Amino acid sequence: MDNLEKEKQKLIEMFGIHFETHHNLPPLASRIFGTLILNCRIKGLTFEELVEITNASKSSVSTNINLLLKLEKINYYTLPGDRRKHFRPSNLSDRIKNHLKILNSEVQICDKIREFDEQFKLSADYEKGQQILAVYLEYAKDFEKLLQDAIAKINEIENNNSTS
Amino acid sequence: MDNLEKEKQKLIEMFGIHFETHHNLPPLASRIFGTLILNCRIKGLTFEELVEITNASKSSVSTNINLLLKLEKINYYTLPGDRRKHFRPSNLSDRIKNHLKILNSEVQICDKIREFDEQFKLSADYEKGQQILAVYLEYAKDFEKLLQDAIAKINEIENNNSTS
DNA sequence: CGGTTGGTTCGGTTGAAAACGAACCAATAG
DNA sequence: CTATTGGTTCGTTTTCAACCGAACCAACCG
């Protein structure tokens, strides 16, 4: 199983970079998240196990777990007669919702630019600028629909034959 | 024109926050980018002017301009008999291409997970996991097409009645 | 050649983010 | 009640990104 471990390490590394750069997560949070996705998507891992695996301090792990919980990237469940929390990645659809947030922020920006241009009409390329913004906004609308479709489909799969 | 300046400042501020959080740009780079978009989308601004407007040091402006160039968020042109570079935001389609990069990174990750699952089949939820990944990959494919359409349309507008 | 302009490079400073250890709390077990 | 387990909080240290000034380079001008 040496091979498996190596493969896992490589992937977790990849995850780290991806989440740090594209989703703005702190390094340890990224590694925790990657670890959960690769190791135990259903069963989850306990706090203790995470401390062990990531080789970080309890306090750091605690802080970063709470961050991931707040961002809804992970969630946890407990078993009767066991105080430990079992952490696991939240479902994909929750995570895709993040794209929607970014998109909305982007649309807002475009609207603001449009208003600004409209109001002051000072750029030489006023007409063209408006056209391009219009295309972008249209694209954004399509994108939004696409995202919502994907979320719906995934929810269906995840809830239909629900585990947990 | 006091009103205009105020409006501009507010927008640049907004831009700053958006680009810092969603695109991982350093603060100064965000402000430079925002300034260029709002001030002079066609004419552009020179290095000197940017130093003046942003009120930052030459070195910082230099560093951040080069970052924006590397990320293809801006470009520059020169005029014969004038050594100065005129910086301006690159066209929207180039910037949208950035989304494609992120998307590709995400698809790669999914593929890796799928391979990993396939190879080791150790998670209890193997079947379901594969289904969800499939939906996600399908969604990614649709998204990609959408992006390329948008890019094509924008290119058409920008090149048809080409300025610069 | 020397001076000016346009811009880059390099070493140092600084403030915020990230990680840590130790003390602490709350729940349960014995 | 005491001991243990599971986890949080708090104050401190460490690390690193962002910015700066000063020196430097390269091109052109006279």
Side-chain angles (χ1 to χ4, degrees), chain B:
Chain B
M1 291 296 121
D2 193 14
N3 196 7
L4 182 146
E5 275 314 312
K6 255 193 209 155
E7 191 68 17
K8 231 189 237 175
Q9 282 317 309
K10 231 179 59 196
L11 282 182
I12 290 178
E13 179 67 20
M14 249 188 91
F15 269 61
I17 292 167
H18 175 80
F19 292 119
E20 274 177 56
T21 59
H22 295 309
H23 297 268
N24 254 338
L25 290 183
L28 183 52
S30 299
R31 267 183 295 137
I32 290 175
F33 191 41
T35 302
L36 287 179
I37 288 185
L38 284 183
N39 269 317
C40 301
R41 252 168 287 166
I42 291 294
K43 183 160 56 66
L45 290 173
T46 66
F47 184 85
E48 273 283 309
E49 289 171 319
L50 282 172
V51 169
E52 173 123 358
I53 293 173
T54 60
N55 204 16
S57 71
K58 289 211 297 174
S59 55
S60 305
V61 172
S62 174
T63 310
N64 283 285
I65 281 183
N66 285 320
L67 173 65
L68 289 169
L69 285 171
K70 210 181 68 195
L71 295 175
E72 299 189 78
K73 301 242 178 235
I74 65 175
N75 58 39
Y76 66 87
Y77 67 96
T78 48
L79 296 174
D82 182 359
R83 267 199 291 155
R84 292 174 303 175
K85 294 171 179 172
H86 295 254
F87 300 98
R88 53 186 180 181
S90 57
N91 53 37
L92 190 53
S93 66
D94 281 349
R95 281 183 272 144
I96 290 183
K97 276 180 195 152
N98 195 36
H99 289 314
L100 274 178
K101 274 189 214 150
I102 296 179
L103 189 66
N104 283 335
S105 174
E106 216 124 293
V107 167
Q108 257 187 334
I109 295 252
C110 283
D111 277 339
K112 291 281 176 194
I113 296 177
R114 195 142 80 155
E115 270 175 44
F116 182 83
D117 279 2
E118 186 78 25
Q119 197 176 347
F120 300 106
K121 289 192 169 126
L122 34 71
S123 50
D125 52 333
Y126 170 68
E127 292 263 334
K128 206 165 83 178
Q130 290 287 44
Q131 268 185 64
I132 291 173
L133 279 177
V135 172
Y136 184 75
L137 285 172
E138 193 189 324
Y139 141 76
K141 236 177 57 192
D142 287 349
F143 184 23
E144 202 174 332
K145 205 159 39 180
L146 191 64
L147 280 173
Q148 274 157 356
D149 281 0
I151 290 172
K153 263 191 227 167
I154 290 172
N155 271 337
E156 205 181 316
I157 295 176
E158 286 189 335
N159 295 331
N160 244 4
N161 40 349
S162 89
T163 315
S164 110

Side-chain angles (χ1 to χ4, degrees), chain A residues 74-131:
Chain A
I74 65 173
N75 58 42
Y76 66 89
Y77 66 96
T78 47
L79 296 174
D82 181 359
R83 265 200 292 154
R84 291 174 304 175
K85 293 171 181 172
H86 296 253
F87 300 98
R88 54 187 180 178
S90 59
N91 52 37
L92 191 52
S93 65
D94 281 348
R95 280 183 272 146
I96 289 183
K97 277 179 195 153
N98 195 34
H99 289 311
L100 275 177
K101 273 189 215 149
I102 296 179
L103 189 67
N104 283 335
S105 175
E106 216 124 294
V107 167
Q108 259 188 332
I109 293 257
C110 283
D111 278 338
K112 291 283 176 194
I113 296 178
R114 195 141 78 153
E115 271 174 44
F116 181 82
D117 279 2
E118 185 78 27
Q119 198 175 346
F120 299 106
K121 292 194 169 122
L122 33 71
S123 49
D125 51 331
Y126 169 69
E127 291 264 333
K128 207 163 82 177
Q130 290 286 44
Q131 269 184 63

Side-chain angles (χ1 to χ4, degrees), chain A residues 20 25 61 66 99 112 153:
Chain A
E20 273 177 58
L25 291 183
V61 172
N66 284 321
H99 289 311
K112 291 283 176 194
K153 263 192 227 167

Side-chain angles (χ1 to χ4, degrees), chain A residues 18-56:
Chain A
H18 177 80
F19 291 119
E20 273 177 58
T21 59
H22 296 309
H23 297 268
N24 254 337
L25 291 183
L28 183 53
S30 298
R31 268 182 294 137
I32 290 175
F33 191 40
T35 303
L36 287 179
I37 289 184
L38 283 183
N39 270 318
C40 301
R41 252 167 289 164
I42 291 296
K43 182 161 57 65
L45 290 172
T46 66
F47 184 86
E48 272 284 308
E49 289 171 317
L50 281 172
V51 168
E52 172 122 359
I53 292 173
T54 60
N55 204 18

